[in-house]
């Protein structure tokens, strides 16, 4: 996207664009810049959303690990097994979110 914008700007500055087409070329460059700004805003929102989800998953993982440790202390093997499953699930999600971010 930006390479095309740069090339259009160079063409316009060098006089390669005929005078009758300069208005259309400038309008096209403005539209490209608007699309880029919207894209950047979308990416920023997605990053914030991912950070929020990452924080939530970290909290859930800590909770599961704490509950697993408590169940192990009282000898509840069934709860420990369930907690291990949830621990793997949340750890996997956390890994994906870290890579995504």
């Amino acid at each position: 996207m930006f390479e095309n914008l740069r090339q259009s700007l160079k063409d316009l500055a060098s006089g390669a664009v005929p005078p009758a087409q300069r208005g259309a070329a400038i309008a096209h460059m403005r539209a490209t810049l608007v699309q880029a700004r919207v894209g950047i805003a979308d990416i920023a929102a997605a990053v914030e959303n991912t950070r929020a989800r990452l924080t939530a998953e970290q909290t859930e993982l800590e909770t599961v690990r704490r509950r697993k440790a408590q169940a192990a202390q009282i000898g509840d093997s069934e709860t420990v097994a369930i907690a291990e499953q949830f621990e793997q699930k949340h750890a996997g999600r956390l890994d994906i979110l870290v890579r995504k971010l």
Side-chain angles (χ1 to χ4, degrees):
M1 177 188 321
F2 291 113
E3 291 302 320
N4 292 339
L5 184 62
R6 278 192 196 119
Q7 187 59 44
S8 296
L9 190 57
K10 286 178 185 177
D11 291 346
L12 193 62
S14 69
V17 177
Q21 295 177 355
R22 288 182 185 159
I26 291 171
H28 180 68
M29 286 189 285
R30 283 186 184 143
T32 301
L33 286 174
V34 168
Q35 288 175 347
R37 286 183 186 139
V38 169
I40 290 170
D42 289 346
I43 290 171
V47 166
E48 283 304 313
N49 184 27
T50 301
R51 283 189 178 137
R53 290 175 56 201
L54 182 67
T55 301
E57 280 301 324
Q58 287 172 332
T59 302
E60 287 296 320
L61 184 59
E62 290 169 5
T63 300
V64 167
R65 287 178 175 162
R66 186 184 74 247
R67 289 178 179 167
K68 177 181 153 186
Q70 290 171 343
Q73 282 180 339
I74 63 171
D76 186 354
S77 60
E78 184 179 342
T79 302
V80 169
I82 293 170
E84 286 174 350
Q85 291 174 356
F86 279 97
E87 183 180 22
Q88 289 175 358
K89 181 174 87 169
H90 288 294
R93 286 181 183 169
L94 189 65
D95 183 48
I96 290 169
L97 290 171
V98 167
R99 285 187 282 144
K100 181 178 179 182
L101 191 59

